[in-house]
Amino acid sequence: MSYTALYRKFRPDNFGDVKGQDHIVTTLTNQIRHNRIGHAYLFCGTRGTGKTTVAKILAKAVNCQHPVNGSPCGECEMCKAIQAGTSMNVIEIDAASNNGVDNIREIREEVAYRPTEGNYKVYIIDEVHMLSTGAFNALLKTLEEPPSYVIFILATTEAHKIPITILSRCQRYDFHRITIDTIAARLDELLKIEGVEAEEKAVRYVAKAGDGSMRDALSLLDQCIAFYLGQTLTYDKVLEVLGAVDTEVFSRLLRKVLQGDVTGAIRTLEDLIVGGRELGQFVGDFTWYMRNLLLVKTSGNPEEAIDVSSENLKLLKEESEMVDVETLMRYIRIFSDLSSQIRYSTQKRVLVEIALIKLCRPAMETNLDSVLDRLRILEQRMDERPVQQVIVQQGAPGAAGVMGTAAGKGTETMAAEKPEKAAPEDLQKIVASWKVIVGQTSGIFKQMLQKSIPKYNGQTGEPILYIEFQDFLGKTYVDNPEAEEELKNIILAQTGKSVELKMVVAKEHNHTNLAQVTVDQALRENIHMDVVVEEDPDDTEE
Ligand SMILES: [Zn+2]
């Protein structure tokens, strides 16, 4: 016995079985019942929403000898012949492969002959947007004066590519993407008929993965059933078969992104790839996850709007507290752009990595929402920065820029003492690469370093690098040999300089001679680095 795919086996053969397109079904059955059938229909909508299925039912209904409430009876000669694909009255054309003028001319010649049996000749032209301009013109001539016994049904996923002259002669029907509820209900029905046990959560997951397309959902269900033939279909099995990722991983990834931890985010991606996850699916699922977060954040009762277990909802609520709406919208935008790019790319992984870096580093983008995200980060830093230390020294020598990531303008400096000696060149080199060095640390240590100011002894000019934490939490790293070692190694790798360093917390230490390390213009030009993030806008031309 040969196996028939579910979507073929359960393809609706009357209007009553068509799911999720009630607005279309009602209009069409009314037309048939009152004998007000049009001569040209345009069916638009994404794949798998039932365009050709409805076209075939319509073809049967108009030819049926005993239609029941506008639906084909399925019993008469005509219904059976059309169902079996042997009727001469229904002509299906795939415009993707028959898109020339000659193909349409052929139709025009055929159209001249009345049907030998039944009432209507129905031409179903699928993917009609693929027709050439010449072919459209030829089609237009037929549509202008169609014989009374001819019906054209044009189906397309891309209505905007259809010439307006054609559009104006058709009744247009927009097929909706089918909701998860509708798809899930249909899957449930079919599973019962097939005698397959399945968890509700598993069915919902498949319905969601169908992404508005009944056909896709049925194909996915087919895969899952085939893989675990004779067994109950559980949520875990579905995740396994569809290569889907569990919420826990998304949550881990999001936290890395929010911390700006590029390495951590990429490592999480690596784990997913090693685990055999399909990247296209992952991108879709992560976007969906962020969409859920957004709903949790903005909706009063998210339980109704999103479809997750109660334990996952708890996690989502926790996470939604960590991120603001604008940031989430930016993330979702980047990932939905990614999902369209990734489809035909051979470098899927690189694209996903770039997207993750974009999430971690809003500074890489120039549009409004990324600017808002940058502003958020800046404001956060401003809040954390001790105000009394800012002394404005207009035009002070050597105060060309504030090093590190402290948010300051070019004319401000944090220096409290006037240094007698300039910092040794080695320290200047280290500070010139400070951002890069800090970027290689991680976690709280990194956050503390981002808010630190590299200093030196302004009186002696001795080659000791003082790292002055502006946040008292930095205290954990004061006299901490492990942290010192880590930082020293990074500095060595980055600059080739081995340096003595000492970490202190601002206001708690008594090194009164400390001065901020400023970098000579000459040195800065030599290093060619993005030294200062937040310069006075007048100084930069970006
Ligand atoms: Zn019939």
Side-chain angles (χ1 to χ4, degrees):
M1 196 182 79
S2 71
Y3 179 72
T4 314
L6 284 177
Y7 88 88
R8 285 187 190 285
K9 191 169 173 184
F10 294 106
R11 192 167 206 171
D13 52 16
N14 63 72
F15 284 125
D17 286 344
V18 175
K19 303 294 176 190
Q21 311 295 356
D22 296 350
H23 59 301
I24 291 170
V25 167
T26 308
T27 317
L28 289 179
T29 47
N30 279 340
Q31 286 189 357
I32 294 162
R33 277 180 14 216
H34 299 101
N35 211 9
R36 300 176 66 93
I37 298 154
H39 290 283
Y41 293 88
L42 179 67
F43 288 178
C44 320
T46 49
R47 44 181 268 121
T49 46
K51 297 184 296 295
T52 47
T53 302
V54 170
K56 278 189 192 150
I57 299 172
L58 178 61
K60 261 194 284 184
V62 295
N63 277 303
C64 178
Q65 287 153 3
H66 322 284
V68 185
N69 282 332
S71 233
C73 70
E75 306 289 332
C76 67
E77 293 295 308
M78 284 310 296
C79 280
K80 281 182 177 162
I82 295 173
Q83 185 68 29
T86 55
S87 170
M88 303 290 282
N89 281 19
V90 179
I91 302 99
E92 277 188 83
I93 300 137
D94 178 14
S97 42
N98 305 286
N99 63 352
V101 185
D102 292 343
N103 301 107
I104 301 298
R105 286 214 179 112
E106 238 170 72
I107 297 176
R108 284 180 61 192
E109 281 160 23
E110 279 178 29
V111 158
Y113 304 101
R114 288 187 158 271
T116 47
E117 45 173 8
N119 307 321
Y120 289 95
K121 269 188 168 175
V122 182
Y123 290 86
I124 302 172
I125 309 182
D126 203 8
E127 303 293 338
V128 69
H129 61 273
M130 304 285 275
L131 288 184
S132 66
T133 315
F136 268 128
N137 285 335
L139 179 63
L140 185 61
K141 292 220 173 86
T142 319
L143 290 181
E144 276 168 344
E145 288 171 29
S148 59
Y149 49 81
V150 168
I151 299 174
F152 280 97
I153 304 175
L154 315 179
T156 181
T157 47
E158 292 172 67
H160 60 276
K161 290 189 181 160
I162 315 281
I164 185 88
T165 44
I166 301 276
L167 286 177
S168 66
R169 286 184 167 73
C170 296
Q171 292 183 26
R172 174 172 171 160
Y173 293 85
D174 286 293
F175 283 67
H176 297 162
R177 294 161 70 87
I178 308 169
T179 62
I180 295 177
D181 282 340
T182 308
I183 297 182
R186 178 71 177 161
L187 297 185
D188 264 338
E189 245 175 76
L190 304 188
L191 284 168
K192 284 208 180 74
I193 298 172
E194 291 284 285
V196 177
E197 295 267 321
E199 282 180 9
E200 192 195 334
K201 208 172 155 193
V203 174
R204 282 202 79 85
Y205 190 86
V206 174
K208 194 189 84 189
D211 193 22
S213 159
M214 186 69 86
R215 182 170 66 217
D216 288 358
L218 285 172
S219 301
L220 294 173
L221 186 65
D222 242 345
Q223 285 178 36
C224 297
I225 294 176
F227 208 86
Y228 290 103
L229 209 60
Q231 299 178 34
T232 299
L233 200 59
T234 63
Y235 181 63
D236 290 340
K237 284 174 184 166
V238 167
L239 288 183
E240 188 68 30
V241 176
L242 300 185
V245 182
D246 213 357
T247 318
E248 184 268 330
V249 184
F250 293 144
S251 144
R252 188 145 46 95
L253 185 60
L254 185 79
R255 282 165 203 247
K256 299 274 181 225
V257 166
L258 286 172
Q259 287 163 8
D261 180 359
V262 174
T263 321
I266 297 219
R267 226 171 253 159
T268 311
L269 178 68
E270 169 85 36
D271 293 346
L272 286 169
I273 294 169
V274 171
R277 302 308 187 192
E278 205 275 312
L279 281 176
Q281 172 107 35
F282 155 73
V283 170
D285 288 352
F286 189 52
T287 315
W288 191 263
Y289 166 80
M290 291 190 291
R291 169 257 186 204
N292 283 348
L293 268 185
L294 190 62
L295 280 180
V296 168
K297 217 165 162 61
T298 51
S299 152
N301 45 346
E303 293 81 357
E304 288 178 14
I306 62 174
D307 165 38
V308 291
S309 62
S310 49
E311 70 261 37
N312 278 345
L313 186 65
K314 219 178 97 194
L315 264 180
L316 281 172
K317 278 185 174 156
E318 200 180 302
E319 244 126 48
S320 73
E321 295 297 314
M322 300 163 63
V323 57
D324 58 72
V325 173
E326 287 75 19
T327 305
L328 261 180
M329 304 235 283
R330 188 176 80 83
Y331 290 176
I332 292 174
R333 180 182 53 72
I334 291 174
F335 258 68
S336 29
D337 288 352
L338 174 64
S339 67
S340 53
Q341 289 167 6
I342 201 175
R343 201 161 294 162
Y344 304 107
S345 169
T346 48
Q347 298 288 349
K348 293 188 186 349
R349 180 172 177 169
V350 178
L351 287 180
V352 178
E353 285 175 351
I354 290 174
L356 285 176
I357 294 170
K358 275 189 196 164
L359 300 194
C360 294
R361 297 272 180 279
M364 284 175 60
E365 290 189 294
T366 50
N367 49 4
L368 184 63
D369 50 3
S370 64
V371 171
L372 287 175
D373 201 9
R374 289 166 77 170
L375 201 61
R376 170 184 69 86
I377 295 169
L378 277 179
E379 279 174 349
Q380 208 174 331
R381 287 182 189 156
M382 291 288 265
D383 287 347
E384 284 155 354
R385 181 174 154 193
V387 178
Q388 66 271 31
Q389 291 208 0
V390 181
I391 297 165
V392 180
Q393 294 187 336
Q394 292 280 359
V402 178
M403 304 309 305
T405 52
K409 288 190 174 176
T411 49
E412 287 176 5
T413 176
M414 306 282 284
E417 315 287 328
K418 214 172 187 177
E420 290 174 10
K421 284 201 164 103
E425 198 176 286
D426 280 0
L427 292 191
Q428 291 194 39
K429 275 187 186 158
I430 292 167
V431 171
S433 315
W434 190 238
K435 264 184 72 184
V436 184
I437 291 166
V438 174
Q440 292 174 48
T441 58
S442 59
I444 311 278
F445 189 33
K446 183 182 191 172
Q447 287 178 24
M448 290 303 122
L449 285 174
Q450 282 171 337
K451 284 179 265 170
S452 72
I453 301 173
K455 293 192 167 181
Y456 73 108
N457 189 323
Q459 275 177 1
T460 64
E462 57 187 4
I464 300 173
L465 180 66
Y466 289 87
I467 293 150
E468 188 186 74
F469 294 115
Q470 303 303 302
D471 189 320
F472 77 97
L473 290 176
K475 209 170 179 171
T476 336
Y477 303 101
V478 173
D479 296 322
N480 176 335
E482 271 175 42
E484 272 175 27
E485 192 63 24
E486 182 188 347
L487 198 54
K488 271 185 184 173
N489 286 337
I490 295 174
I491 291 173
L492 183 62
Q494 187 64 41
T495 63
K497 308 285 175 201
S498 175
V499 71
E500 199 179 319
L501 55 83
K502 192 159 176 53
M503 298 190 230
V504 293
V505 174
K507 289 184 288 182
E508 288 196 1
H509 62 84
N510 46 14
H511 303 275
T512 48
N513 296 329
L514 291 192
Q516 191 170 340
V517 182
T518 50
V519 181
D520 281 349
Q521 195 59 30
L523 193 65
R524 192 190 294 198
E525 278 163 9
N526 269 325
I527 291 189
H528 295 300
M529 268 194 163
D530 175 22
V531 184
V532 180
V533 211
E534 302 90 13
E535 271 193 340
D536 191 312
D538 297 338
D539 296 344
T540 50
E541 288 183 55
E542 275 182 333

